[in-house]
Amino acid sequence: MAKLPLQFRLNGSDRATFVDPASNLLDTLRRGFGDFGPKYGCGQGTCGVCTVLVDGEPQLACLTLAVSCEGRQIETASGMADGPNLHPLQDAFMDHFAAQCGFCTPGMLTAARALLAKNPQPSREEVVEAISGNICRCTGYEPIVAAILAAANAPGARRA
């Protein structure tokens, strides 16, 4: 089958490529553009490590067809920092030891970023709900929840 043209904005930069019609967004980001922020985990949409933001909404890149992202805005954890300046969520994850092995961290960060963009002052329950699609096997979730709540109260936290 012929490859299809695909254009979208990735972490603020316009990108274009050709993809197989059945290619998922995760493979396109990782193999096509070298963005290794979203991880490959289960490949079935159950672990959340491939979570990215598509037009500001969390989506599982392993289940999202790349062609469905034509003309859309894609954001990954790789694009959160502003040069050497970390995003407040990234700072909070470091300060609260929320990234032990780090495998779930990009998905957790993007899910948390979407939450804080919509609700700058979430409750603990809202944080838990927002990250419920992301599996962490190291932290027991408490440091992650604490980091997200701390980031919500940090100076500059409203930076999307």
Side-chain angles (χ1 to χ4, degrees):
M1 188 169 287
K3 291 192 176 207
L4 301 174
L6 175 63
Q7 294 182 335
F8 55 79
R9 196 156 180 80
L10 175 62
N11 295 325
S13 298
D14 291 327
R15 298 300 180 103
T17 190
F18 289 90
V19 295
D20 290 320
S23 293
N24 66 32
L25 182 59
L26 180 61
D27 286 339
T28 301
L29 293 173
R30 291 177 61 85
R31 293 182 184 157
F33 296 110
D35 188 334
F36 296 104
K39 305 292 184 213
Y40 180 85
C42 67
Q44 300 174 4
T46 59
C47 70
V49 299
C50 67
T51 302
V52 298
L53 302 181
V54 178
D55 294 335
E57 294 295 322
Q59 285 195 5
L60 300 169
C62 73
L63 297 182
T64 302
L65 287 175
V67 295
S68 73
C69 295
E70 175 67 33
R72 298 179 83 180
Q73 173 74 30
I74 312 299
E75 298 171 76
T76 69
S78 304
M80 289 179 71
D82 181 17
N85 303 313
L86 294 179
H87 187 279
L89 276 165
Q90 293 169 311
D91 279 331
F93 267 59
M94 287 188 343
D95 293 345
H96 289 82
F97 304 101
Q100 289 183 14
C101 84
F103 194 71
C104 72
T105 304
M108 291 287 188
L109 285 168
T110 53
R113 185 175 184 186
L115 169 67
L116 295 182
K118 289 182 180 180
N119 181 358
Q121 294 296 311
S123 67
R124 176 181 170 70
E125 293 75 23
E126 290 167 324
V127 169
V128 169
E129 176 64 26
I131 64 171
S132 66
N134 300 69
I135 295 173
C136 177
R137 297 175 193 238
C138 300
T139 66
Y141 300 96
E142 288 306 315
I144 295 169
V145 172
I148 296 168
L149 290 171
N153 295 312
R158 288 178 173 75
R159 182 168 67 111

